[in-house]
Amino acid sequence: MQFKMGLLAVGITVGLAINGISTVHAAKWYERNVSYQTQKKHNKLTYKLAFFENVADNDTESQYYVLGWYDSKGKIHQKKIWSAFTNYSEYVDPNLKIPYVVMSPDGDAYYIHRPPYTMYNQPAVEGTVSAKE
């Protein structure tokens, strides 16, 4: 019951996060701050993230991306995302062990969970230099 109670607030937050479109129905299938394993237990549309890459072009109004994910058989699927028409949210979590994407049941929204590309103020590297190349 605690899982479902937390989802309503998340559904409303997600609705605000993706271009102001109301996704209160998301409360039944999506929770933001959970691991891949927990999300997968509650939603069959949760997949391991393969990549989320910016596509370079000369459009100054919108951004284009390619989203890739692994299905249950390990096959990679991909979808082109255009920021002007596709609802997506990207959540960066430095403690995330497995990056993943959650798709809405209607296929109209994507919630991408990934670790940061760069972390600053990382612990100092320790060890000794054994050889120089």
Side-chain angles (χ1 to χ4, degrees), residues 1-132:
M1 183 67 180
Q2 186 176 11
F3 184 79
K4 289 183 181 178
M5 292 298 290
L7 289 176
L8 181 58
V10 171
I12 293 168
T13 303
V14 169
L16 296 173
I18 53 174
N19 300 327
I21 295 173
S22 175
T23 56
V24 175
H25 68 278
K28 297 177 182 167
W29 59 269
Y30 178 74
E31 184 170 7
R32 181 175 165 197
N33 295 319
V34 297
S35 69
Y36 167 77
Q37 292 85 357
T38 303
Q39 189 68 258
K40 188 71 176 164
K41 274 193 250 182
H42 297 284
N43 182 355
K44 65 181 181 175
L45 297 174
T46 301
Y47 302 98
K48 288 183 180 179
L49 183 66
F51 54 85
F52 184 61
E53 297 292 327
N54 187 298
V55 178
D57 66 3
N58 62 356
D59 187 349
T60 58
E61 301 292 321
S62 302
Q63 291 290 317
Y64 295 89
Y65 299 93
V66 177
L67 172 65
W69 67 90
Y70 295 100
D71 66 12
S72 59
K73 297 176 184 174
K75 183 179 176 187
I76 292 182
H77 297 269
Q78 65 182 25
K79 170 142 179 90
K80 291 181 183 176
I81 293 178
W82 184 22
S83 65
F85 293 111
T86 308
N87 292 326
Y88 70 94
S89 295
E90 188 175 9
Y91 302 103
V92 178
D93 180 357
N95 299 316
L96 189 65
K97 302 292 183 222
I98 300 173
Y100 64 93
V101 60
V102 181
M103 297 176 191
S104 66
D106 56 9
D108 286 342
Y110 301 88
Y111 306 94
I112 301 152
H113 295 257
R114 65 170 183 81
Y117 296 127
T118 303
M119 287 184 61
Y120 301 96
N121 301 320
Q122 294 178 349
V125 176
E126 295 181 12
T128 58
V129 176
S130 58
K132 186 176 180 180

